[in-house]
Amino acid sequence: MKNSIDIHKVLQAFNLISKNGDKTPDGFSYQGFYAQSDFDGYNLYLTDKQTELHIFFHNKYELNAPSNELADKFIKRLLALK
């Protein structure tokens, strides 16, 4: 799974959540996803409270999920956001 993530599409989803989501103390909430960035915007975080995708500078990333199945579902749901 890790090598099959299209970071550019994930960044588009992050932007969609940031534009259309509800403002929270830590970032934005939209359709079950939570998005936030650090103070300089170099690190982005996307989560659904079970799975977290951390995008680092230069589009490197780390995906943390309880199982591969949940990781796959997270990415599919994230990329399907409209």
Side-chain angles (χ1 to χ4, degrees):
M1 178 70 209
K2 204 166 195 182
N3 294 328
S4 66
I5 297 174
D6 184 340
I7 290 298
H8 296 290
K9 288 183 180 178
V10 170
L11 293 174
Q12 289 174 343
F14 183 92
N15 190 41
L16 180 81
I17 295 166
S18 299
K19 283 186 174 181
N20 298 323
D22 296 323
K23 181 79 172 128
T24 68
D26 297 322
F28 296 92
S29 170
Y30 182 71
Q31 294 187 10
F33 288 98
Y34 301 89
Q36 68 183 71
S37 66
D38 60 5
F39 67 95
D40 59 9
Y42 286 119
N43 291 292
L44 306 176
Y45 306 89
L46 291 159
T47 184
D48 66 358
K49 298 296 185 184
Q50 289 184 323
T51 302
E52 180 179 83
L53 178 60
H54 179 183
I55 303 170
F56 302 96
F57 192 58
H58 292 299
N59 296 334
K60 293 184 176 163
Y61 61 89
E62 180 178 45
L63 179 63
N64 295 307
S67 69
N68 287 337
E69 181 181 345
L70 286 176
D72 288 340
K73 285 181 181 180
F74 174 83
I75 294 300
K76 285 178 186 175
R77 284 183 41 240
L78 184 65
L79 297 180
L81 283 178
K82 301 268 181 202

